[in-house]
Amino acid sequence: MANPSPLLIGCAAGFSGDRLDAAAPVVQALVDSGRPGVLIFETLAERTLALAQLARRANPDAGYEPLLDELLRPVLAQCLQHGVRIVSNFGAANPRGAALRIQQLAAELGARRPRVAVVHGDDLSGAQHRAVLERALGPSMPAQPIVSANAYIGAEPIAQALRAGADIVVCGRVADPALVLGPALAHYGWCMDDWDRLARATMAGHLLECGAQVTGGYFADPGYKDVPGLARLGYPIAEIDADGHCTLTKPPGTGGRVDERTVKEQLLYELHDPAAYLTPDVVADITQASVAQIGSDRVHLQGVRGHARPPSLKVNVCFESGWFAEGEISYAGARAEERARLAGDVLRERLASVAPLRVDLIGVASVWGDDAGRWLAAQASQGAQDVRLRVALQHRDHASAQRLVREVTALYCCGPAGGGGVRTAMRPRLGTVSCLVPREAVNPGYTLLD
């Protein structure tokens, strides 16, 4: 049933590994508002999910957000006491495991037992889905073992779970904006073909999904785009009205800023076509949208339009693709850059039969370089006196990849002169391919624990 009260949704994480103290000010602001409130954590990325699948292989009870306890412990009891619902994709590869842990955590805190819903249907890694993936990927279907295959599902199961009385909804791979659209659907009772309202709430989710990016974090550039209190950034809160329009703000007394520029930067983030932002729920169009400052740290977004959702869903397939090896060594003082370049040339020659080598001179040319070393080759010597050489390669065979580790270590005595501070690492490498599958091939839903 539709609820006429404005809905507040706060975000307390924009990725796995985000700050652990972000949630408390957001929750306090939601409670103090006296309005219906929802707290979201967005902690899932493509590689994060594949790594979660590997973790679950090693331990069937693992595979969900490793910082789950640290994220929820400071605010879980307060949310349950004041009716602030929680929606997150921190279920990753094991949403049920995360849900069970949340119930245990609530008991440890002496809080009431929460009703936890688990969203399912995104995992397509099972044998029953292989034919669908083979048809979708064709010759791109990996020959190596598949680690994970997950469809980006939409907001409807989240909304259904909230309507069924869930206090907390734990998801795996849902589209990031669905974490906001789902609560808005449940709160206002919109139909699933109310394209304009769905698109507006989807863009509210897009603004929230990266956490402090929209409150000045990724925006900050001293002397050009100054942000006050960057060390104590407030995370964003969206006030969503019955038509889906939203106002962005942040908790009072926190650092950061919310203005037209921070909102516009995040609005355009990862937006390939402003007229057709594809999501599982709707195609959003921001070409007629307007962003307006309506108060201190308050920005209103309106004018978003929506079109019918796509007939297919995106699937990311991660697979085993061998080993990744890297090594670093430092050179300092006179002719440091020349010595670092020589060391890179030595490693290229000695590892030429193994695999192409990525060579970076950190402090001279690394971010701007490419895997073929074209940036480095184009640069005349700059005479840097503090250089960190970093090399890396990928190989399917562990022993072959490990040759890089040995060769970098050997630079200690095999020269050039004055190298030190060697660090090396080896880890499994994951490859990723993406495809589109028919919507009918995916069957999302939810289950309430107990």
Side-chain angles (χ1 to χ4, degrees), residues 296-338:
S296 177
D297 290 320
R298 291 181 63 81
V299 173
H300 187 65
L301 171 66
Q302 64 180 17
V304 175
R305 300 299 303 274
H307 309 289
R309 65 187 187 181
S312 54
L313 297 175
K314 179 182 176 181
V315 177
N316 280 341
V317 180
C318 286
F319 56 94
E320 296 177 6
S321 63
W323 294 86
F324 180 76
E326 62 182 331
E328 297 180 3
I329 185 171
S330 290
Y331 295 90
R335 296 171 301 284
E337 182 178 335
E338 288 83 350

Side-chain angles (χ1 to χ4, degrees), residues 247-404:
T247 297
L248 261 290
T249 185
K250 65 181 184 68
T254 59
R257 66 188 309 157
V258 179
D259 62 23
E260 291 184 15
R261 295 183 301 164
T262 68
V263 170
K264 287 177 181 178
E265 282 199 7
Q266 179 60 27
L267 191 64
L268 295 173
Y269 170 73
E270 291 186 340
L271 203 70
H272 297 138
D273 184 352
Y277 176 50
L278 303 178
T279 79
D281 299 295
V282 66
V283 176
D285 178 352
I286 67 165
T287 56
Q288 302 301 314
S290 63
V291 173
Q293 191 93 33
I294 60 172
S296 177
D297 290 320
R298 291 181 63 81
V299 173
H300 187 65
L301 171 66
Q302 64 180 17
V304 175
R305 300 299 303 274
H307 309 289
R309 65 187 187 181
S312 54
L313 297 175
K314 179 182 176 181
V315 177
N316 280 341
V317 180
C318 286
F319 56 94
E320 296 177 6
S321 63
W323 294 86
F324 180 76
E326 62 182 331
E328 297 180 3
I329 185 171
S330 290
Y331 295 90
R335 296 171 301 284
E337 182 178 335
E338 288 83 350
R339 284 180 280 130
R341 289 182 183 276
L342 176 57
D345 291 342
V346 167
L347 293 173
R348 276 201 182 98
E349 182 176 344
R350 291 189 60 81
L351 295 168
S353 63
V354 178
L357 191 66
R358 167 82 190 215
V359 179
D360 295 313
L361 299 184
I362 299 172
V364 178
S366 56
V367 174
W368 295 108
D370 66 11
D371 288 344
R374 281 186 284 265
W375 174 266
L376 297 181
Q379 301 305 298
S381 176
Q382 302 298 308
Q385 295 192 349
D386 189 348
V387 181
R388 183 79 170 164
L389 174 68
R390 183 257 185 188
V391 294
L393 63 76
Q394 177 181 341
H395 202 284
R396 292 184 180 181
D397 177 61
H398 183 276
S400 297
Q402 199 167 34
R403 279 192 56 187
L404 178 140

Side-chain angles (χ1 to χ4, degrees), residues 14 40 109 125 151 172-173 227 277 282 304 344 398 405 415 426 431 442 447:
I40 70 167
L109 294 170
S125 59
R173 179 70 281 173
V227 176
Y277 176 50
V282 66
V304 175
H398 183 276
V405 172
M426 285 272 295
V442 182
T447 303

Side-chain angles (χ1 to χ4, degrees), residues 134-258:
E134 288 176 343
R135 286 194 296 271
L137 286 167
S140 298
M141 182 72 179
Q144 303 93 321
I146 290 177
V147 174
S148 65
N150 293 85
Y152 285 74
I153 62 177
E156 195 165 11
I158 297 173
Q160 292 169 344
L162 293 170
R163 288 172 185 148
D167 300 303
I168 301 169
V169 182
V170 179
C171 309
R173 179 70 281 173
V174 296
D176 296 346
L179 300 174
V180 170
L181 178 57
L185 281 169
H187 183 75
Y188 288 117
W190 299 330
C191 295
M192 287 305 298
D193 60 355
D194 193 343
W195 304 123
D196 284 346
R197 287 187 173 93
L198 267 59
R200 292 164 190 159
T202 290
M203 295 317 296
H206 179 68
L207 291 175
L208 290 181
E209 68 181 74
C210 293
Q213 273 193 192
V214 77
T215 57
Y218 207 67
F219 173 86
D221 191 348
Y224 177 57
K225 297 185 298 182
D226 291 313
V227 176
L230 198 64
R232 48 183 181 84
L233 277 174
Y235 280 51
I237 298 171
E239 302 173 3
I240 302 175
D241 67 21
D243 286 323
H245 301 299
C246 75
T247 297
L248 261 290
T249 185
K250 65 181 184 68
T254 59
R257 66 188 309 157
V258 179

